[in-house]
Amino acid sequence: MSWMMIHTEDEDNEGGPLTPHEREYASMVYDFKNYRLVIFGGWANEWRNDVYALNISSIVGPPYAITEVIPSLGQITGGSQVIVKGVGFKDTADIKVRFT
């Protein structure tokens, strides 16, 4: 995983992987569509006017999250009915839940 600079003009980078200069007061946003962390500008002994993007698709989890399981404890032999609450679930009957 490495940072990439978003070029506004035709430029080549022959120095290997890019890393943004250390800075403060930079703007940062997460690009949900392309799984990128994007930073713009900031202060590094001068005001920067650059944009970097880091593809983090290999470390971003699934588009859903479990927020609660009711009951939180059950019989070791199984067979208990549970309610799984969360966000981002697909509305389908083809869901399999396995507990280990």
Side-chain angles (χ1 to χ4, degrees):
M1 176 178 345
S2 65
W3 286 93
M4 64 181 149
M5 186 170 190
I6 299 175
H7 299 285
T8 55
E9 299 175 2
D10 292 335
E11 299 177 52
D12 292 323
N13 178 38
E14 298 176 14
L18 284 173
T19 56
H21 294 286
E22 296 174 356
R23 63 189 70 209
E24 56 187 355
Y25 305 114
S27 298
M28 187 178 299
V29 66
Y30 177 65
D31 175 4
F32 288 95
K33 184 176 180 181
N34 297 305
Y35 304 103
R36 297 183 307 170
L37 187 61
V38 181
I39 63 170
F40 169 73
W43 177 259
N45 294 326
E46 66 179 357
W47 287 107
R48 310 294 293 189
N49 191 24
D50 52 359
V51 178
Y52 285 85
L54 179 64
N55 185 327
I56 57 174
S57 61
S58 64
I59 60 173
V60 173
Y64 59 85
I66 296 173
T67 58
E68 187 177 6
V69 178
I70 304 169
S72 59
L73 297 173
Q75 297 293 321
I76 195 166
T77 56
S80 300
Q81 185 174 9
V82 297
I83 298 171
V84 178
K85 293 184 178 183
V87 294
F89 294 132
K90 291 183 178 179
D91 188 14
T92 178
D94 189 32
I95 296 176
K96 295 179 182 177
V97 179
R98 295 187 182 123
F99 296 94
T100 58

